[in-house]
């Protein structure tokens, strides 16, 4: 009577036992081969090597034995060195394979986290979207390979969730008084997180243009953020935005609306501000050196203590603008007929060339002094 179970169950132990036997046989063969090679090196080779070197010369038995032992020692040292080198290579190879495995596992985890974070951005729940944005931000901090993708996703999130002109019943209309528009962090907290993430990630981002055109950033808080090389072209709305000390070096703000924006201490060196609207904006102590401001509206803006050295203000509207203590140089270009002395502008030496934007972000880091006009 067959009591051993099904044929399948009876045969399963056979394969593992066969494999174990094969491994044992291969190991034994390798050991025997190594012993045989060592025997040849220690016993067989030294004598012929000595006889060949003597070339038929006759020496005493003691001298020949000493020569054989010397050759044997040399050969053993060579074998030992080869073993050490082989062991080092095997260790390096094992470490490399382990590292590749760890990298593959890490990349898989990052991919999973990335996918989950992107899925969260499409949630109807505000807290879930904010969590997804912070997850992407964290991924960008730990993975330089994914940083550009995260930055692009955050910019796309702003463009789709805050279009200009405003869309949707919950978005304040374009004609709404800025005093009636809630701060961005309260009316669209997820968008404020995305904007803050962009500003922080830009500290280590290579110079490249990022599109935030046709984006409604009214009353956005950009305090201390890096937004250089941001393309706000196409009437992006920065109305009443809090952008104190914001970094906008070489940015394109062509035709941007920055009405009543708080730009105290903002650094806009070599920025493209042509035809932008800075009416009633607070630009006290802002750095506008060599900025292109042709046709820019500064009506009613406060430019007190601003640095305008080398700025091109040709055709700019400075009606009612406050310029007391603002510094200018002989390279500053003014609107036709503008009375510099009557406006209280102070002439100063031009600083010369500006640092290249291609320098690493660390080279552009600056300590921000307290605002005198605060």
């Amino acid at each position: 009577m067959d009591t051993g179970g099904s044929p399948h169950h009876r045969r399963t132990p056979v394969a593992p036992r066969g494999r174990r036997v094969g491994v044992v046989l291969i190991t034994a063969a390798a050991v025997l081969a190594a012993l045989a090679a060592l025997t040849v090196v220690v016993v067989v080779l030294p004598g012929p090597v000595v006889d060949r070197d003597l070339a038929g010369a006759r020496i005493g038995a003691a001298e020949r034995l000493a020569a054989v032992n010397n050759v044997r020692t040399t050969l053993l040292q060579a074998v030992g060195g080869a073993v050490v080198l082989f062991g080092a290579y095997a260790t390096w190879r094992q470490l490399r394979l382990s590292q590749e495995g760890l990298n593959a596992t890490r990349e898989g985890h990052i991919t999973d986290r990335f996918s989950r974070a992107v899925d969260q951005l499409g949630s109807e729940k505000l807290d879930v979207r904010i969590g997804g944005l912070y997850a992407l931000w964290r991924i960008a901090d730990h993975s330089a390979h994914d940083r550009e993708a995260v930055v692009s996703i955050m910019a796309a999130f702003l463009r789709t969730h805050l279009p200009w002109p405003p869309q949707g019943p919950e978005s304040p209309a374009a004609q709404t008084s800025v005093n009636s528009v809630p701060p961005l962090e309260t009316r669209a907290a997820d968008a404020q997180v995305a904007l803050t993430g962009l500003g922080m990630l830009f500290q280590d981002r290579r110079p490249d243009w990022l599109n935030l055109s046709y984006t409604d950033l009214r009353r956005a808080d950009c305090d201390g953020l890096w937004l250089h090389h941001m393309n706000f072209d196409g009437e992006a709305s920065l109305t009443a935005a809090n952008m104190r000390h914001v970094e906008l070096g070489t940015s394109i703000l062509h035709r941007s609306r920055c009405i009543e924006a708080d730009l105290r201490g903002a650094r806009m060196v070599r920025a493209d501000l042509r035809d932008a609207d800075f009416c009633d904006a607070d630009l006290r102590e802002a750095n506008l050196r060599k900025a292109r401001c042709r046709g820019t509206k500064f009506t009613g803006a406060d430019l007190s203590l601003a640095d305008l050295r080398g700025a091109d203000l040709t055709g700019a509207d400075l009606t009612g603008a406050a310029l007391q203590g603002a510094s200018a140089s002989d390279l500053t270009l003014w609107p036709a007929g503008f009375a510099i002395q009557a406006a209280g502008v102070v002439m100063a030496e031009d600083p010369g060339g500006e640092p290249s934007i291609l320098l690493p972000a660390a080279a552009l880091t600056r300590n921000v002094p307290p605002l005198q006009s605060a």
Side-chain angles (χ1 to χ4, degrees):
M1 182 175 60
D2 186 1
T3 59
S6 67
H8 175 73
H9 289 161
R10 289 197 303 271
R11 288 195 298 267
T12 46
V14 175
R17 186 182 301 117
R19 285 196 295 269
R20 287 197 297 271
V21 172
V23 171
V24 171
L25 291 176
I26 292 173
T27 303
V31 171
L32 290 175
L35 290 175
L38 184 62
T39 301
V40 171
V41 170
V42 174
V43 178
V44 179
L45 283 180
V49 169
V50 170
D51 293 339
R52 181 179 181 279
D53 289 342
L54 290 175
R58 305 182 65 84
I59 60 174
E63 294 177 347
R64 185 178 187 283
L65 179 60
V68 169
N69 287 334
N70 290 336
V71 172
R72 184 177 289 118
T73 301
T74 302
L75 291 175
L76 286 175
Q77 290 175 347
V79 171
V83 171
V84 170
L85 290 176
F86 179 78
Y89 170 77
T91 303
W92 170 81
R93 181 64 179 171
Q94 185 62 36
L95 290 175
R96 183 175 179 180
L97 292 175
S98 301
Q99 186 62 44
E100 290 176 354
L102 290 175
N103 290 339
T105 302
R106 178 175 176 271
E107 288 296 327
H109 290 163
I110 291 177
T111 301
D112 292 341
R113 290 167 54 198
F114 193 96
S115 299
R116 288 197 299 269
V118 172
D119 290 339
Q120 287 179 270
L121 298 186
S123 174
E124 296 182 357
K125 297 181 179 180
L126 176 63
D127 54 345
V128 175
R129 296 196 299 272
I130 292 176
L133 288 166
Y134 275 115
L136 287 174
W137 189 345
R138 184 173 178 82
I139 289 172
D141 281 336
H142 289 83
S143 175
H145 177 72
D146 298 297
R147 184 181 297 271
E148 289 296 313
V150 171
V151 168
S152 298
I153 289 173
M154 287 185 172
F157 184 88
L158 286 172
R159 292 195 304 269
T160 55
H161 284 70
L162 294 175
W164 183 265
Q167 301 175 6
E170 298 181 358
S171 300
Q175 298 78 16
T176 304
S177 170
V178 70
N179 294 324
S180 302
V181 176
L184 184 61
E185 60 186 353
T186 58
R187 67 182 172 93
D190 50 353
Q192 180 63 64
V193 171
L195 183 61
T196 303
L198 285 177
M200 297 303 294
L201 293 174
F202 257 52
Q203 295 187 49
D204 302 315
R205 186 172 186 264
R206 62 180 177 83
D208 199 358
W209 298 116
L210 184 67
N211 184 20
L212 283 180
S213 300
Y214 299 99
T215 306
D216 180 11
L217 296 177
R218 285 175 293 176
R219 302 199 67 186
D221 185 357
C222 302
D223 197 357
L225 301 183
W226 287 64
L227 299 176
H228 58 279
H229 273 102
M230 284 253 189
N231 186 352
F232 293 100
D233 204 3
E235 299 185 0
S237 177
L238 296 173
T239 304
N242 176 3
M243 303 180 75
R244 279 172 288 174
H245 293 303
V246 71
E247 172 63 41
L248 291 169
T250 72
S251 296
I252 296 177
L253 280 81
H254 182 213
R255 297 181 61 195
S256 297
R257 298 179 58 185
C258 302
I259 301 172
E260 298 182 8
D262 185 350
L263 287 159
R264 284 177 287 172
R267 187 176 184 275
M268 294 183 280
V269 176
R270 295 192 296 167
D272 184 354
L273 310 180
R274 291 173 298 167
D275 301 317
D277 191 345
F278 287 91
C279 290
D280 298 319
D282 192 344
L283 289 159
R284 287 175 289 175
E285 303 180 57
N287 188 342
L288 295 167
R289 288 199 305 266
K290 295 179 174 56
R292 288 178 287 173
C293 306
R294 285 175 173 263
T296 305
K297 296 180 181 179
F298 290 108
T299 306
D302 193 344
L303 289 158
S304 301
L305 303 176
D307 190 345
L308 302 175
R309 290 177 291 176
D312 184 357
L313 294 163
T314 306
D317 187 353
L318 295 171
T319 305
L323 290 160
Q324 288 80 10
S327 57
S329 67
D330 55 354
L331 297 180
T332 303
L333 301 179
W334 297 96
F338 184 77
I340 301 175
Q341 295 182 347
V345 176
V346 178
M347 298 302 295
E349 183 180 356
D350 193 87
E354 299 292 338
S356 173
I357 194 64
L358 296 179
L359 288 175
L364 301 176
T365 303
R366 57 196 170 93
N367 295 321
V368 179
L371 290 171
Q372 303 177 36
S373 54

